[in-house]
Amino acid sequence: MSPRRIPVDADAVGRREVPLRITVDGEPLDGIAGQTIAGVLLAAGRLAWRRGPSGAPRGVFCGIGVCFDCLVSVGDERDVRACRRRARDGDVITTQRRVGNGFNSPSEEEE
Amino acid sequence: MTLCRVHVAVVGAGPAGLAAAEAALRAGARVTLVDSAENPGGQYHRMLPDAYAAARPDQLQHGWRAFDRRRRRVLAHPRCTWCPETVVWALEHRFPEGELDSPGDPGPPRSSQAPRVHLLSGPPDGGARVRHVLDPDALVLAVGAHDRVLPFPGWELPGVFTAGAAQALAKGERVAVGDRVVVAGTGPFLLPVAVSLLEAGAGVLEVLEANTPATLARGWSRRAWELAALTGKAGELRAYVVDLARHRVPYRCGRAVVGARGEGRVEEVVSARLRADWSVVPGSERSTAVDALCVSHGFSPQLELPLAAGCALRDAASGRPADGERASAVDQFVVVDDDQRTTAPGVFAAGEITGIAGAPAARVEGTLAGWIAAGGDPAAPALRSVRRARDQGRAFARRLARAHPIGPAWPGWLSPGTVICRCEGTDYGALRRAVASPAGAAARVTKLATRAGLGPCQGRICGPTVAELTARLGNGPTVERPVAGLPPATPHHRPLAHPIRLGELAAPPQPPPQPDHPSHVPPTPTKETER
């Protein structure tokens, strides 16, 4: 099983859901207003989205902005901690990889 | 009425910082309260995002009502400036040492010597954050702590979370991390984490406390009368235990996760029975299929701002002043006096950076720090009970540390290929080779040879581990050779407390934020009353 969001009608805190949509490496993902980018990714069943120096996959580890494992690019801003940044409707997210000492995102490698 | 008020800057709006702000306001000060989150509360009272418009936010919180009242009182106060989504990226001494020490010069009044506070406001890691500079009369640091996690083979796999992350996801995002979750490590924090997971609909297979029943009993039962003062905490703990029992989640002591496996994500954990020193009992290993693992081996105080302010630290174990030249600087906290004053002029500390003792202790420390920082009377009768509660909190911190120590034999879990520094992928084998080299185990040498601690997190996660392992591998504390012009190497020293983009650094600072009541619109640059 993967992580999932508590269904709104089963949520004891009585929240409302305002849907939003972001794209991650071109793929649309649905989330709700108030979630962080990491929250949207996790609720969409993604555990990992970054590649570390060895090429190994990484996702959320500390969840509070300390470990920098969850970095993504948001629009043209690189190295944004997905666990801290709230998702906004229409955000264009690019995942990042770090191989050797370089900091390359897949889109840059294709160029 | 306004111009000559004491200005207190409070960094961190968790239980300690919020209490400090309230006490400083009560003492008549003008307060700037800074937090990196959008709402006060810190990790303990982590609030749901405003966009959820939650009808029953109290469902997730212990002591919600008291917290909510305090939050509203502070934010609505006409002398309080609330700076959400704001980080302190640097503290700067306003007076070079030479100026202060010149003979015959009494120096500026003590209250004006708090360091200059450099702020960055806006969405986290954004490119267009606004820079502000504060010159407060006093600074209260209440920045808290984060999970400490010891490495073990596979801890870098996706699906392995810190216990704090799992709780933040459950409470703040309403995301359950899995259906077959193991919660492991040491400390009472494992219980609320397991309960948060259950509340979010996750399945918890078991909670593993690494310390043995004998260690727990020794730590908790000695001087049992001290616990009588902490009935609030005891009640909270009892509620967690009842919740776990109701869900039939076993709580096992003397057992730890010593390995995790999986293809691209965690699929299985290996747990083992531990002796009191955390060495593995041979043959006791057992594997369990999981879809998530949550780990916590205590907490690391966030010491970069206290160090930047020049605060002295103490060793947690000995209580003695920390010797910055030793590489074994692992468990250190900020030294404070009876008034929560640090050794740095005008700088006060409260909460987890002075010792890990939980929210009630953080609140009373904050109350004392805020009151004194604002120039309140240190002999005020109302402070007597505050000081008493603070001392009880400190006793609780000592008890907590005794009952949930990290056993010295934990490095036995490591294999040469185990990742130590997650950012740089440095493994245990590389660290051992570096320490064995003729250059020795000096912290700077180890760093440069292995890159451990040089990645994006700047050693926040691996720092205590690398310091402990190098000290052990090098047969005891290593004396650093001083390098001319450089301060002694310590694992917490980070001149920039927070990443800042070059464009933000180049932009001129905006005037300091001002109280923005009653509507709480974003601060608008108005007349500058500082300096």
Side-chain angles (χ1 to χ4, degrees), chain B residues 431-528:
Chain B
L431 196 66
R432 277 204 304 213
R433 285 192 298 278
V435 174
S437 80
R444 285 195 173 91
V445 176
T446 317
K447 250 190 188 181
L448 293 173
T450 68
R451 293 196 55 79
L454 290 179
C457 96
Q458 288 288 289
R460 283 173 174 85
I461 302 293
C462 73
T465 299
V466 171
E468 185 179 345
L469 290 176
T470 45
R472 291 229 215 149
L473 294 166
N475 287 325
T478 308
V479 176
E480 293 279 324
R481 280 184 210 90
V483 179
L486 289 180
T490 79
H492 315 292
H493 188 66
R494 297 176 193 100
L496 296 190
H498 197 88
I500 177 168
R501 293 176 190 273
L502 286 175
E504 293 164 335
L505 189 59
Q510 300 296 307
Q514 298 290 323
D516 49 29
H517 306 280
S519 54
H520 267 300
V521 289
T524 43
T526 50
K527 62 177 186 293
E528 191 173 358

Side-chain angles (χ1 to χ4, degrees), chain A residues 1 11 36 69 78 86, chain B residues 38 173-174 179 422 501:
Chain A
M1 237 305 293
D11 195 337
T36 61
D69 260 358
R78 297 186 52 81
R86 297 248 182 256
Chain B
E38 287 167 329
E173 303 280 339
R174 305 307 278 149
D179 281 323
R422 299 172 67 92
R501 293 176 190 273

